[in-house]
Amino acid sequence: MNFLQALGTWALNVCEQLGRASCFLFATLGRRPRFIRTFPLLIQQLYAIGVLSLLIIIVSGLFIGMVVSLQGYNTLEKFSATQQLGQLVALSVTRELGPVITALLFAGRAGSALTAEIALMKATEQLASMEMMGVDPLWRIISPRFWAGVISMPVLAAIFSAVAIYGGYLVGVKWLGLDAGAFWSNMQSTVDFHGDVINGLIKSLIFGFVITWISVYQGYDAVPTAEGIARATTRTVVYGSLAVLSLDFILTAVMLGGW
Amino acid sequence: MIPAATDNLVTLAQISFKRGDRLIFNDINITIPRGKIVGIMGPSGTGKTTLLRLIGAQLKPTAGHIHVNGQNIHQLSTKDLYLARRQMGMLFQSGGLFTGMNTFENVAFPLREHTTLPETMIRDIVLMKLEAVGLRGAVALNPSELSGGMSRRVALARAIVLDPQLIMYDEPFTGLDPIAKGVIVQLIKKLNNALGLTSILVSHDIHETCAIADLLYILADGHIIGSGTPAELLKSEHPSIKQFMQGLPDGMIPFQYPAKDYAKDLLS
Ligand SMILES: Nc1ncnc2c1ncn2[C@@H]1O[C@H](COP(=O)(O)OP(=O)(O)OP(=O)(O)O)[C@@H](O)[C@H]1O
Ligand SMILES: [Mg+2]
Protein backbone atom coordinates (compact mmCIF):
# COMPACT_ATOMS: atom_id res chain seq x y z
CA MET A 1 0.00 0.00 0.00
CA ASN A 2 2.79 2.33 0.99
CA PHE A 3 4.58 1.44 -2.18
CA LEU A 4 1.51 2.23 -4.27
CA GLN A 5 1.10 5.50 -2.45
CA ALA A 6 4.71 6.44 -3.07
CA LEU A 7 4.37 5.49 -6.71
CA GLY A 8 1.25 7.61 -7.06
CA THR A 9 2.88 10.62 -5.41
CA TRP A 10 5.89 10.22 -7.63
CA ALA A 11 3.76 10.01 -10.77
CA LEU A 12 1.80 13.10 -9.75
CA ASN A 13 5.02 14.97 -9.10
CA VAL A 14 6.41 14.01 -12.47
CA CYS A 15 3.24 15.15 -14.19
CA GLU A 16 3.26 18.43 -12.31
CA GLN A 17 6.88 19.09 -13.19
CA LEU A 18 6.26 18.25 -16.84
CA GLY A 19 3.26 20.54 -16.90
CA ARG A 20 5.17 23.42 -15.36
CA ALA A 21 8.12 22.88 -17.66
CA SER A 22 5.81 22.90 -20.68
CA CYS A 23 4.06 26.10 -19.60
CA PHE A 24 7.48 27.64 -19.10
CA LEU A 25 8.58 26.51 -22.56
CA PHE A 26 5.51 27.96 -24.25
CA ALA A 27 5.89 31.21 -22.37
CA THR A 28 9.51 31.42 -23.52
CA LEU A 29 8.71 30.57 -27.11
CA GLY A 30 5.90 33.10 -26.99
CA ARG A 31 8.33 35.97 -26.38
CA ARG A 32 8.59 37.57 -29.78
CA PRO A 33 12.12 38.59 -30.68
CA ARG A 34 12.62 42.30 -31.25
CA PHE A 35 15.40 42.16 -33.75
CA ILE A 36 17.63 45.09 -32.99
CA ARG A 37 17.42 44.45 -29.26
CA THR A 38 17.49 40.67 -29.29
CA PHE A 39 20.27 40.13 -31.78
CA PRO A 40 23.19 41.38 -29.62
CA LEU A 41 21.88 39.34 -26.68
CA LEU A 42 21.74 36.26 -28.86
CA ILE A 43 25.28 36.80 -30.15
CA GLN A 44 26.54 37.20 -26.60
CA GLN A 45 24.92 33.93 -25.58
CA LEU A 46 26.09 32.11 -28.69
CA TYR A 47 29.57 33.07 -27.62
CA ALA A 48 29.08 31.97 -23.99
CA ILE A 49 27.27 28.74 -24.84
CA GLY A 50 28.67 27.75 -28.23
CA VAL A 51 32.11 29.23 -28.71
CA LEU A 52 33.29 28.54 -25.17
CA SER A 53 32.27 24.89 -25.55
CA LEU A 54 34.37 24.52 -28.68
CA LEU A 55 37.59 23.46 -26.99
CA ILE A 56 36.13 20.51 -25.11
CA ILE A 57 34.17 19.46 -28.21
CA ILE A 58 37.22 19.55 -30.49
CA VAL A 59 39.52 17.73 -28.09
CA SER A 60 36.92 15.05 -27.34
CA GLY A 61 36.10 14.68 -31.02
CA LEU A 62 39.73 14.14 -31.90
CA PHE A 63 40.24 11.43 -29.30
CA ILE A 64 36.96 9.66 -30.03
CA GLY A 65 37.81 9.57 -33.72
CA MET A 66 41.26 8.17 -33.02
CA VAL A 67 39.93 5.51 -30.66
CA VAL A 68 37.21 4.40 -33.05
CA SER A 69 39.76 4.17 -35.80
CA LEU A 70 42.16 2.14 -33.71
CA GLN A 71 39.52 -0.26 -32.48
CA GLY A 72 37.98 -0.53 -35.91
CA TYR A 73 41.32 -1.28 -37.52
CA ASN A 74 42.00 -4.10 -35.07
CA THR A 75 38.65 -5.72 -35.73
CA LEU A 76 38.62 -5.19 -39.49
CA GLU A 77 42.12 -6.63 -39.73
CA LYS A 78 40.76 -10.04 -38.66
CA PHE A 79 38.57 -10.04 -41.76
CA SER A 80 41.21 -8.42 -43.95
CA ALA A 81 38.81 -5.58 -44.49
CA THR A 82 40.87 -2.63 -43.30
CA GLN A 83 39.93 -0.82 -46.52
CA GLN A 84 36.54 -0.22 -44.94
CA LEU A 85 37.96 1.78 -42.05
CA GLY A 86 36.98 5.17 -43.49
CA GLN A 87 33.40 4.05 -43.82
CA LEU A 88 33.30 2.61 -40.31
CA VAL A 89 34.63 5.77 -38.71
CA ALA A 90 32.43 8.12 -40.72
CA LEU A 91 29.22 6.19 -40.17
CA SER A 92 29.62 5.62 -36.45
CA VAL A 93 30.56 9.24 -35.93
CA THR A 94 27.92 10.99 -38.04
CA ARG A 95 25.08 8.73 -37.02
CA GLU A 96 25.68 8.14 -33.34
CA LEU A 97 28.80 9.29 -31.61
CA GLY A 98 28.76 12.84 -32.94
CA PRO A 99 25.27 13.84 -31.81
CA VAL A 100 25.21 11.77 -28.62
CA ILE A 101 28.62 12.57 -27.20
CA THR A 102 28.34 16.20 -28.15
CA ALA A 103 24.99 16.32 -26.38
CA LEU A 104 26.38 14.72 -23.23
CA LEU A 105 29.34 17.09 -23.19
CA PHE A 106 27.01 19.98 -23.93
CA ALA A 107 24.81 19.08 -20.95
CA GLY A 108 27.85 18.94 -18.69
CA ARG A 109 29.61 22.02 -19.99
CA ALA A 110 26.95 24.49 -21.15
CA GLY A 111 23.76 23.12 -19.58
CA SER A 112 25.05 23.07 -16.02
CA ALA A 113 26.51 26.56 -16.43
CA LEU A 114 23.19 27.86 -17.73
CA THR A 115 21.27 26.38 -14.81
CA ALA A 116 23.72 27.67 -12.22
CA GLU A 117 23.77 31.14 -13.74
CA ILE A 118 20.01 31.52 -13.92
CA ALA A 119 19.44 30.01 -10.48
CA LEU A 120 22.01 32.36 -8.99
CA MET A 121 20.34 35.31 -10.64
CA LYS A 122 17.13 34.19 -9.01
CA ALA A 123 18.73 33.71 -5.60
CA THR A 124 20.34 37.15 -5.65
CA GLU A 125 17.03 38.79 -6.62
CA GLN A 126 18.36 39.84 -10.02
CA LEU A 127 15.37 38.34 -11.81
CA ALA A 128 12.96 39.95 -9.37
CA SER A 129 14.59 43.36 -9.75
CA MET A 130 14.45 43.02 -13.49
CA GLU A 131 10.74 42.32 -13.27
CA MET A 132 10.28 45.34 -11.07
CA MET A 133 12.09 47.48 -13.63
CA GLY A 134 9.46 46.49 -16.13
CA VAL A 135 11.75 44.17 -18.06
CA ASP A 136 10.50 40.66 -18.63
CA PRO A 137 13.19 38.16 -17.55
CA LEU A 138 11.75 35.48 -19.83
CA TRP A 139 12.42 37.74 -22.75
CA ARG A 140 15.67 39.31 -21.57
CA ILE A 141 17.41 36.36 -19.87
CA ILE A 142 15.76 33.08 -20.77
CA SER A 143 14.84 33.46 -24.41
CA PRO A 144 18.32 34.38 -25.79
CA ARG A 145 19.93 31.58 -23.79
CA PHE A 146 17.38 29.10 -25.02
CA TRP A 147 17.79 29.95 -28.69
CA ALA A 148 21.56 30.13 -28.41
CA GLY A 149 21.54 26.59 -27.02
CA VAL A 150 19.28 25.29 -29.76
CA ILE A 151 21.43 26.87 -32.47
CA SER A 152 24.80 25.93 -30.96
CA MET A 153 24.19 22.25 -30.50
CA PRO A 154 23.92 21.12 -34.17
CA VAL A 155 26.91 23.27 -35.09
CA LEU A 156 28.95 21.80 -32.27
CA ALA A 157 27.89 18.28 -33.28
CA ALA A 158 28.93 18.94 -36.88
CA ILE A 159 32.30 20.22 -35.73
CA PHE A 160 32.68 17.23 -33.45
CA SER A 161 31.99 14.81 -36.33
CA ALA A 162 34.39 16.57 -38.67
CA VAL A 163 37.19 16.56 -36.12
CA ALA A 164 36.49 12.94 -35.19
CA ILE A 165 36.76 11.86 -38.84
CA TYR A 166 40.02 13.73 -39.09
CA GLY A 167 41.20 11.91 -35.93
CA GLY A 168 40.26 8.62 -37.56
CA TYR A 169 42.24 9.63 -40.63
CA LEU A 170 45.28 10.50 -38.52
CA VAL A 171 45.32 7.08 -36.87
CA GLY A 172 44.25 5.01 -39.86
CA VAL A 173 46.33 6.64 -42.58
CA LYS A 174 49.18 8.49 -40.91
CA TRP A 175 49.89 6.01 -38.17
CA LEU A 176 48.68 2.59 -39.30
CA GLY A 177 49.60 3.23 -42.93
CA LEU A 178 46.31 2.70 -44.77
CA ASP A 179 46.03 4.16 -48.25
CA ALA A 180 44.59 7.68 -48.03
CA GLY A 181 42.73 7.35 -51.33
CA ALA A 182 40.96 4.17 -50.22
CA PHE A 183 40.14 5.69 -46.85
CA TRP A 184 38.40 8.75 -48.31
CA SER A 185 36.80 7.20 -51.39
CA ASN A 186 35.29 4.33 -49.41
CA MET A 187 33.85 6.89 -47.02
CA GLN A 188 32.48 8.98 -49.85
CA SER A 189 30.74 6.13 -51.59
CA THR A 190 28.99 4.78 -48.48
CA VAL A 191 28.00 7.79 -46.41
CA ASP A 192 24.61 8.98 -47.54
CA PHE A 193 23.97 12.69 -47.19
CA HIS A 194 20.32 12.42 -46.30
CA GLY A 195 20.33 9.15 -44.39
CA ASP A 196 23.43 9.80 -42.34
CA VAL A 197 24.47 13.42 -42.23
CA ILE A 198 21.05 15.06 -42.14
CA ASN A 199 19.67 12.51 -39.71
CA GLY A 200 22.63 13.11 -37.43
CA LEU A 201 21.97 16.83 -37.56
CA ILE A 202 18.29 16.35 -36.82
CA LYS A 203 19.22 14.28 -33.80
CA SER A 204 21.55 16.93 -32.51
CA LEU A 205 18.98 19.65 -33.06
CA ILE A 206 16.46 17.73 -30.98
CA PHE A 207 19.04 17.01 -28.27
CA GLY A 208 19.99 20.68 -28.18
CA PHE A 209 16.36 21.68 -27.79
CA VAL A 210 15.75 19.25 -24.95
CA ILE A 211 18.96 19.94 -23.05
CA THR A 212 18.60 23.71 -23.22
CA TRP A 213 14.97 23.48 -22.21
CA ILE A 214 15.89 21.36 -19.18
CA SER A 215 18.76 23.69 -18.27
CA VAL A 216 16.88 26.98 -18.35
CA TYR A 217 13.81 25.49 -16.68
CA GLN A 218 15.84 23.97 -13.85
CA GLY A 219 17.58 27.28 -13.33
CA TYR A 220 14.38 29.31 -13.37
CA ASP A 221 12.56 26.88 -11.11
CA ALA A 222 15.42 26.32 -8.66
CA VAL A 223 14.96 26.87 -4.94
CA PRO A 224 16.87 30.12 -4.43
CA THR A 225 19.40 28.86 -1.88
CA ALA A 226 22.92 27.46 -2.16
CA GLU A 227 21.61 23.94 -1.77
CA GLY A 228 18.81 24.54 -4.24
CA ILE A 229 21.27 25.73 -6.88
CA ALA A 230 23.50 22.69 -6.38
CA ARG A 231 20.52 20.38 -6.74
CA ALA A 232 19.25 22.14 -9.82
CA THR A 233 22.65 21.89 -11.51
CA THR A 234 22.88 18.20 -10.75
CA ARG A 235 19.37 17.64 -12.05
CA THR A 236 20.23 19.38 -15.30
CA VAL A 237 23.14 17.05 -15.99
CA VAL A 238 21.29 13.90 -14.89
CA TYR A 239 17.97 14.61 -16.62
CA GLY A 240 19.75 16.00 -19.65
CA SER A 241 21.93 12.94 -20.12
CA LEU A 242 19.08 10.50 -19.54
CA ALA A 243 16.85 12.39 -21.95
CA VAL A 244 19.55 12.34 -24.62
CA LEU A 245 20.25 8.63 -24.32
CA SER A 246 16.62 7.56 -24.32
CA LEU A 247 15.67 9.95 -27.12
CA ASP A 248 18.61 8.67 -29.11
CA PHE A 249 17.18 5.17 -29.00
CA ILE A 250 13.74 6.34 -30.08
CA LEU A 251 15.08 8.56 -32.86
CA THR A 252 17.37 5.81 -34.15
CA ALA A 253 14.48 3.38 -34.23
CA VAL A 254 12.37 5.87 -36.16
CA MET A 255 15.14 6.75 -38.58
CA LEU A 256 16.19 3.19 -39.30
CA GLY A 257 12.54 2.29 -39.66
CA GLY A 258 12.72 3.69 -43.16
CA TRP A 259 12.13 7.35 -42.56
CA MET B 1 -4.27 64.43 9.63
CA ILE B 2 -5.71 61.85 7.28
CA PRO B 3 -5.03 62.88 3.67
CA ALA B 4 -7.83 62.93 1.12
CA ALA B 5 -8.28 59.73 -0.89
CA THR B 6 -6.97 61.20 -4.13
CA ASP B 7 -3.74 62.08 -2.45
CA ASN B 8 -2.85 58.46 -1.89
CA LEU B 9 -0.40 56.99 -4.34
CA VAL B 10 -0.88 53.47 -3.03
CA THR B 11 -3.85 51.99 -1.22
CA LEU B 12 -4.15 48.47 0.07
CA ALA B 13 -7.72 47.59 0.90
CA GLN B 14 -8.66 44.54 2.97
CA ILE B 15 -5.63 42.58 1.86
CA SER B 16 -5.28 38.99 2.93
CA PHE B 17 -2.47 36.77 1.80
CA LYS B 18 -1.75 33.11 2.37
CA ARG B 19 1.39 31.06 1.91
CA GLY B 20 0.16 27.49 1.85
CA ASP B 21 -2.03 27.27 4.93
CA ARG B 22 -0.30 30.10 6.75
CA LEU B 23 -2.12 33.39 6.79
CA ILE B 24 0.57 36.05 6.40
CA PHE B 25 -1.80 39.03 6.20
CA ASN B 26 -5.26 39.09 7.59
CA ASP B 27 -7.40 41.91 6.26
CA ILE B 28 -4.99 44.81 6.40
CA ASN B 29 -5.49 48.35 5.12
CA ILE B 30 -2.63 50.66 4.32
CA THR B 31 -2.55 53.99 2.54
CA ILE B 32 0.58 55.63 1.25
CA PRO B 33 0.12 59.38 0.80
CA ARG B 34 1.81 60.98 -2.17
CA GLY B 35 5.14 62.63 -1.53
CA LYS B 36 5.66 61.16 1.92
CA ILE B 37 8.07 58.66 3.40
CA VAL B 38 6.08 55.84 4.91
CA GLY B 39 7.81 53.39 7.19
CA ILE B 40 6.61 49.81 7.50
CA MET B 41 8.05 48.14 10.54
CA GLY B 42 7.60 44.81 12.15
CA PRO B 43 9.46 41.85 13.52
CA SER B 44 11.41 39.60 11.19
CA GLY B 45 9.24 37.20 9.24
CA THR B 46 5.98 39.14 9.52
CA GLY B 47 5.82 39.63 5.77
CA LYS B 48 7.32 43.04 5.08
CA THR B 49 9.08 41.85 1.95
CA THR B 50 5.91 40.04 0.98
CA LEU B 51 4.00 43.30 1.30
CA LEU B 52 6.34 45.07 -1.13
CA ARG B 53 6.05 42.20 -3.56
CA LEU B 54 2.28 42.47 -3.39
CA ILE B 55 2.47 46.17 -4.24
CA GLY B 56 4.81 45.38 -7.14
CA ALA B 57 2.34 42.68 -8.27
CA GLN B 58 4.94 39.95 -8.09
CA LEU B 59 2.53 38.18 -5.76
CA LYS B 60 -1.24 38.14 -5.85
CA PRO B 61 -3.29 38.71 -2.69
CA THR B 62 -5.75 36.03 -1.63
CA ALA B 63 -8.36 38.72 -1.04
CA GLY B 64 -8.63 42.48 -1.33
CA HIS B 65 -7.18 44.89 -3.85
CA ILE B 66 -4.23 47.19 -4.27
CA HIS B 67 -4.40 50.44 -6.19
CA VAL B 68 -1.26 52.17 -7.34
CA ASN B 69 -1.78 55.55 -8.90
CA GLY B 70 -5.47 54.82 -9.28
CA GLN B 71 -4.96 51.53 -11.11
CA ASN B 72 -5.86 48.15 -9.68
CA ILE B 73 -2.43 46.68 -10.12
CA HIS B 74 -3.53 43.05 -10.14
CA GLN B 75 -6.04 43.50 -12.94
CA LEU B 76 -3.66 45.04 -15.45
CA SER B 77 -2.64 43.12 -18.53
CA THR B 78 0.97 41.97 -18.55
CA LYS B 79 1.89 44.81 -20.86
CA ASP B 80 0.22 47.48 -18.74
CA LEU B 81 1.72 45.97 -15.62
CA TYR B 82 5.21 46.31 -17.08
CA LEU B 83 4.38 49.90 -17.98
CA ALA B 84 3.12 50.61 -14.49
CA ARG B 85 6.28 49.13 -12.99
CA ARG B 86 8.39 51.75 -14.70
CA GLN B 87 6.79 54.14 -12.26
CA MET B 88 8.05 52.07 -9.34
CA GLY B 89 11.56 51.59 -8.16
CA MET B 90 12.39 48.83 -5.77
CA LEU B 91 15.50 48.32 -3.77
CA PHE B 92 15.77 44.67 -2.85
CA GLN B 93 17.20 43.39 0.40
CA SER B 94 20.30 42.10 -1.38
CA GLY B 95 20.51 44.90 -3.95
CA GLY B 96 20.01 42.62 -6.93
CA LEU B 97 22.73 44.14 -9.09
CA PHE B 98 23.33 42.26 -12.34
CA THR B 99 26.56 40.36 -11.92
CA GLY B 100 27.51 40.37 -15.58
CA MET B 101 27.65 44.17 -15.83
CA ASN B 102 29.68 46.91 -14.21
CA THR B 103 28.23 49.75 -12.17
CA PHE B 104 27.65 51.96 -15.17
CA GLU B 105 25.86 49.29 -17.18
CA ASN B 106 23.75 48.34 -14.18
CA VAL B 107 22.50 51.87 -13.72
CA ALA B 108 22.08 52.36 -17.45
CA PHE B 109 20.12 49.12 -17.82
CA PRO B 110 16.57 50.50 -17.37
CA LEU B 111 17.37 53.40 -19.71
CA ARG B 112 18.67 51.11 -22.41
CA GLU B 113 15.64 48.83 -22.05
CA HIS B 114 12.96 51.47 -22.01
CA THR B 115 14.25 54.46 -23.91
CA THR B 116 16.04 55.18 -27.15
CA LEU B 117 18.14 57.98 -25.72
CA PRO B 118 21.49 58.62 -27.39
CA GLU B 119 24.58 57.27 -25.66
CA THR B 120 25.80 60.70 -24.49
CA MET B 121 22.50 61.38 -22.79
CA ILE B 122 22.48 57.97 -21.09
CA ARG B 123 25.98 58.67 -19.84
CA ASP B 124 24.95 62.01 -18.39
CA ILE B 125 21.90 60.61 -16.63
CA VAL B 126 23.82 57.68 -15.19
CA LEU B 127 26.58 59.92 -13.90
CA MET B 128 24.01 62.27 -12.36
CA LYS B 129 22.31 59.44 -10.50
CA LEU B 130 25.61 57.98 -9.37
CA GLU B 131 26.66 61.42 -8.15
CA ALA B 132 23.43 61.59 -6.16
CA VAL B 133 24.39 58.42 -4.28
CA GLY B 134 28.02 59.49 -4.02
CA LEU B 135 29.47 56.76 -6.19
CA ARG B 136 30.40 58.48 -9.43
CA GLY B 137 33.96 57.27 -8.80
CA ALA B 138 32.85 53.63 -8.78
CA VAL B 139 31.44 53.82 -12.28
CA ALA B 140 33.77 51.18 -13.73
CA LEU B 141 33.72 48.70 -10.85
CA ASN B 142 32.03 45.33 -11.06
CA PRO B 143 29.39 44.34 -8.50
CA SER B 144 31.85 41.87 -6.97
CA GLU B 145 34.22 44.75 -6.23
CA LEU B 146 31.63 46.75 -4.29
CA SER B 147 31.03 46.50 -0.56
CA GLY B 148 27.54 45.73 0.73
CA GLY B 149 26.72 49.37 1.40
CA MET B 150 28.11 50.47 -1.94
CA SER B 151 26.12 47.92 -3.90
CA ARG B 152 22.99 49.03 -2.14
CA ARG B 153 23.70 52.61 -3.16
CA VAL B 154 24.34 51.57 -6.76
CA ALA B 155 21.07 49.63 -6.70
CA LEU B 156 19.43 52.77 -5.38
CA ALA B 157 20.83 54.79 -8.27
CA ARG B 158 19.47 52.18 -10.65
CA ALA B 159 16.06 52.21 -8.97
CA ILE B 160 15.70 55.97 -9.48
CA VAL B 161 17.20 56.22 -12.94
CA LEU B 162 13.80 56.24 -14.67
CA ASP B 163 12.53 58.91 -12.25
CA PRO B 164 9.77 56.76 -10.74
CA GLN B 165 6.95 58.13 -8.65
CA LEU B 166 7.22 55.45 -6.03
CA ILE B 167 10.26 53.85 -4.53
CA MET B 168 10.24 50.90 -2.18
CA TYR B 169 13.18 50.14 0.07
CA ASP B 170 13.44 46.65 1.52
CA GLU B 171 15.56 46.90 4.66
CA PRO B 172 18.14 49.31 3.30
CA PHE B 173 19.98 49.49 6.62
CA THR B 174 20.71 45.87 7.46
CA GLY B 175 24.35 44.96 7.62
CA LEU B 176 25.61 48.52 7.30
CA ASP B 177 28.01 50.32 9.60
CA PRO B 178 26.65 53.40 11.42
CA ILE B 179 28.22 55.82 8.96
CA ALA B 180 26.86 54.06 5.88
CA LYS B 181 23.50 53.82 7.64
CA GLY B 182 23.49 57.54 8.25
CA VAL B 183 24.42 58.17 4.63
CA ILE B 184 21.55 56.04 3.35
CA VAL B 185 19.10 57.64 5.78
CA GLN B 186 20.04 61.08 4.49
CA LEU B 187 19.96 59.84 0.92
CA ILE B 188 16.43 58.49 1.23
CA LYS B 189 15.26 61.79 2.72
CA LYS B 190 17.10 63.85 0.13
CA LEU B 191 15.82 61.84 -2.82
CA ASN B 192 12.30 61.95 -1.54
CA ASN B 193 12.33 65.72 -1.27
CA ALA B 194 14.44 66.57 -4.29
CA LEU B 195 12.75 64.26 -6.79
CA GLY B 196 9.25 64.50 -5.39
CA LEU B 197 9.14 60.75 -4.80
CA THR B 198 6.90 58.76 -2.56
CA SER B 199 8.89 56.29 -0.51
CA ILE B 200 7.95 53.10 1.27
CA LEU B 201 10.64 52.18 3.74
CA VAL B 202 10.60 48.69 5.16
CA SER B 203 12.85 48.26 8.11
CA HIS B 204 13.15 47.14 11.67
CA ASP B 205 15.64 49.80 12.61
CA ILE B 206 13.37 51.92 14.75
CA HIS B 207 15.79 54.75 15.29
CA GLU B 208 16.66 55.33 11.63
CA THR B 209 13.11 54.87 10.41
CA CYS B 210 11.63 57.23 12.98
CA ALA B 211 14.17 59.86 12.00
CA ILE B 212 12.87 60.25 8.46
CA ALA B 213 9.42 58.70 8.18
CA ASP B 214 6.34 60.90 7.99
CA LEU B 215 4.06 58.03 8.76
CA LEU B 216 4.62 54.60 10.26
CA TYR B 217 2.78 51.32 10.16
CA ILE B 218 3.69 48.51 12.52
CA LEU B 219 2.91 45.04 11.32
CA ALA B 220 2.83 42.03 13.57
CA ASP B 221 1.20 38.67 13.31
CA GLY B 222 -0.73 39.45 10.13
CA HIS B 223 -2.28 42.66 11.45
CA ILE B 224 -1.43 46.31 11.64
CA ILE B 225 -1.01 46.88 15.32
CA GLY B 226 -0.32 50.57 15.08
CA SER B 227 -0.05 53.47 12.72
CA GLY B 228 0.67 57.15 13.01
CA THR B 229 3.54 59.58 13.05
CA PRO B 230 6.76 58.43 14.74
CA ALA B 231 6.18 60.84 17.63
CA GLU B 232 2.71 59.44 18.26
CA LEU B 233 3.89 55.86 18.21
CA LEU B 234 6.89 56.53 20.44
CA LYS B 235 4.54 58.00 23.03
CA SER B 236 1.95 55.24 22.65
CA GLU B 237 0.93 53.33 25.74
CA HIS B 238 -0.51 50.43 23.75
CA PRO B 239 1.37 47.38 25.04
CA SER B 240 2.32 45.83 21.65
CA ILE B 241 3.41 49.12 20.16
CA LYS B 242 5.38 49.94 23.26
CA GLN B 243 7.02 46.54 23.19
CA PHE B 244 8.08 46.95 19.59
CA MET B 245 9.17 50.56 19.73
CA GLN B 246 11.25 49.99 22.83
CA GLY B 247 12.54 46.59 21.82
CA LEU B 248 11.33 44.72 24.91
CA PRO B 249 11.74 40.95 24.66
CA ASP B 250 8.46 39.99 26.35
CA GLY B 251 5.04 41.23 25.55
CA MET B 252 2.17 40.81 23.20
CA ILE B 253 4.16 40.22 20.03
CA PRO B 254 5.37 36.64 19.93
CA PHE B 255 9.08 36.31 19.20
CA GLN B 256 8.59 32.63 18.30
CA TYR B 257 7.52 31.25 14.95
CA PRO B 258 4.23 29.38 15.58
CA ALA B 259 5.12 26.05 17.18
CA LYS B 260 3.92 23.20 19.32
CA ASP B 261 3.86 23.58 23.07
CA TYR B 262 7.49 23.96 24.20
CA ALA B 263 7.36 21.55 27.14
CA LYS B 264 5.61 18.87 25.11
CA ASP B 265 8.09 19.31 22.29
CA LEU B 266 11.09 18.81 24.59
CA LEU B 267 9.63 15.79 26.34
CA SER B 268 8.36 13.97 23.28
N1 LIG C 1 8.68 31.44 -1.08
C1 LIG C 1 8.08 31.26 0.10
N2 LIG C 1 7.37 30.14 0.32
C2 LIG C 1 6.74 29.93 1.50
N3 LIG C 1 6.79 30.78 2.52
C3 LIG C 1 7.48 31.91 2.37
C4 LIG C 1 8.17 32.21 1.16
N4 LIG C 1 8.76 33.40 1.31
C5 LIG C 1 8.47 33.82 2.53
N5 LIG C 1 7.69 32.93 3.19
C6 LIG C 1 7.14 33.08 4.55
O1 LIG C 1 6.46 34.31 4.59
C7 LIG C 1 6.74 34.98 5.79
C8 LIG C 1 7.04 36.43 5.49
O2 LIG C 1 8.26 36.50 4.77
P1 LIG C 1 8.92 37.87 4.43
O3 LIG C 1 10.14 37.57 3.65
O4 LIG C 1 7.91 38.75 3.80
O5 LIG C 1 9.29 38.41 5.88
P2 LIG C 1 9.99 39.79 6.26
O6 LIG C 1 9.03 40.52 7.12
O7 LIG C 1 10.50 40.46 5.05
O8 LIG C 1 11.17 39.27 7.17
P3 LIG C 1 12.65 39.86 7.30
O9 LIG C 1 12.55 41.06 8.16
O10 LIG C 1 13.39 38.77 8.00
O11 LIG C 1 13.14 40.12 5.92
C9 LIG C 1 7.89 34.26 6.46
O12 LIG C 1 7.45 33.80 7.71
C10 LIG C 1 8.23 33.11 5.59
O13 LIG C 1 8.22 31.92 6.35
MG1 LIG D 1 12.33 40.81 4.21
Side-chain angles (χ1 to χ4, degrees), chain A residues 89-106:
Chain A
V89 171
L91 285 183
S92 43
V93 165
T94 50
R95 281 185 182 177
E96 281 301 326
L97 294 175
V100 172
I101 294 187
T102 310
L104 295 179
L105 292 172
F106 187 74

Side-chain angles (χ1 to χ4, degrees), chain B residues 135-254:
Chain B
L135 284 178
R136 196 164 43 82
V139 68
L141 296 185
N142 281 321
S144 55
E145 297 167 312
L146 300 172
S147 76
M150 286 161 86
S151 26
R152 223 163 291 167
R153 277 147 72 194
V154 173
L156 181 52
R158 186 178 67 177
I160 57 171
V161 77
L162 286 174
D163 292 325
Q165 299 187 17
L166 171 69
I167 179 154
M168 300 185 263
Y169 302 92
D170 193 359
E171 311 211 357
F173 309 126
T174 34
L176 295 185
D177 65 81
I179 299 174
K181 238 187 227 180
V183 170
I184 299 239
V185 168
Q186 287 315 312
L187 203 55
I188 292 175
K189 178 104 187 144
K190 197 174 87 186
L191 288 173
N192 198 77
N193 297 345
L195 302 178
L197 292 170
T198 304
S199 312
I200 304 178
L201 172 59
V202 159
S203 175
H204 34 219
D205 290 84
I206 296 161
H207 182 71
E208 281 76 14
T209 312
C210 285
I212 51 171
D214 299 303
L215 189 62
L216 281 181
Y217 287 92
I218 302 179
L219 274 176
D221 212 15
H223 297 278
I224 293 177
I225 57 165
S227 64
T229 62
E232 282 167 17
L233 288 179
L234 281 170
K235 278 198 306 250
S236 171
E237 283 302 318
H238 189 285
S240 315
I241 300 177
K242 205 169 157 188
Q243 183 205 347
F244 186 79
M245 297 302 275
Q246 302 181 2
L248 308 173
D250 288 310
M252 310 286 283
I253 305 173

Side-chain angles (χ1 to χ4, degrees), chain B residues 44-45 47-50 93 170-171 202 204:
Chain B
S44 194
K48 301 181 300 295
T49 303
T50 309
Q93 231 162 328
D170 193 359
E171 311 211 357
V202 159
H204 34 219

